[in-house]
Amino acid sequence: MIVILQIVQVLLTVIWWIIIVQAILSWLLAFNVINTYNDTVRTIWEALRRMTEPLYRPIRRILPDFGALDLSPLVVLIGIVVLQKLVSAGINQLMYGVAAASV
């Protein structure tokens, strides 16, 4: 059980970094520091978009439209942090018998 929780924790960390990299890349694209005319940039952007879009889509349906401001990555990051705390508390509970409130 501990191994499964540790794998979930690693996957949540990887997803967190993918969202951070996509946010930085979107800022670079928005300010024309880089552009999608470059094949490498376009490939990376599309890969990141395809990985994160299934996470953002349900949240975008719930959140109101803020125009150019997309808050769905922020909501997903907050959700990931909450899940990481829960998984970490579960690991501590299983390994050390530490109560979840002390984490």
Side-chain angles (χ1 to χ4, degrees), residues 41-59:
V41 172
R42 185 174 48 251
T43 303
I44 293 170
W45 176 250
E46 279 298 313
L48 290 172
R49 192 185 63 76
R50 287 182 185 190
M51 285 187 270
T52 57
E53 190 61 32
L55 296 172
Y56 296 159
R57 193 175 306 121
I59 295 168

Side-chain angles (χ1 to χ4, degrees), residues 29-92:
L29 288 169
F31 294 117
N32 280 333
V33 175
I34 58 176
N35 59 39
T36 55
Y37 295 121
N38 184 327
D39 287 338
T40 305
V41 172
R42 185 174 48 251
T43 303
I44 293 170
W45 176 250
E46 279 298 313
L48 290 172
R49 192 185 63 76
R50 287 182 185 190
M51 285 187 270
T52 57
E53 190 61 32
L55 296 172
Y56 296 159
R57 193 175 306 121
I59 295 168
R60 286 182 179 147
R61 277 188 250 141
I62 296 170
L63 287 177
D65 187 17
F66 292 108
L69 183 62
D70 185 13
L71 295 179
S72 55
L74 180 64
V75 173
V76 172
L77 287 176
I78 291 171
I80 288 173
V81 169
V82 169
L83 287 174
Q84 283 180 327
K85 295 287 184 185
L86 292 173
V87 169
S88 178
I91 291 172
N92 286 339

